[in-house]
Amino acid sequence: MGQQMFFVRKRSANVASATCFVCAKAKRQLQVFFVPVATLTVQKALAERS
């Protein structure tokens, strides 16, 4: 019984760290996508203003 509990807890920890890893990866991809778009938008806004 004790052995099984330990096994389940260990597996859920692995799932948590895998989810965290996926989240970090998604965040990085969003930054790669959004930063150029934001930069372009700012440049366009500045160009229209002047």
Side-chain angles (χ1 to χ4, degrees):
M1 181 66 197
Q3 190 78 29
Q4 203 174 5
M5 271 306 291
F6 175 74
F7 188 73
V8 169
R9 202 175 292 152
K10 197 172 176 186
R11 198 185 319 166
S12 63
N14 282 350
V15 169
S17 63
T19 306
C20 206
F21 176 72
V22 169
C23 274
K25 207 170 180 186
K27 243 185 237 172
R28 202 169 304 135
Q29 282 180 333
L30 279 178
Q31 277 180 339
V32 166
F33 176 71
F34 273 118
V35 170
V37 171
T39 309
L40 278 174
T41 308
V42 168
Q43 283 175 347
K44 207 184 287 181
L46 288 175
E48 283 171 11
R49 228 202 280 160
S50 57

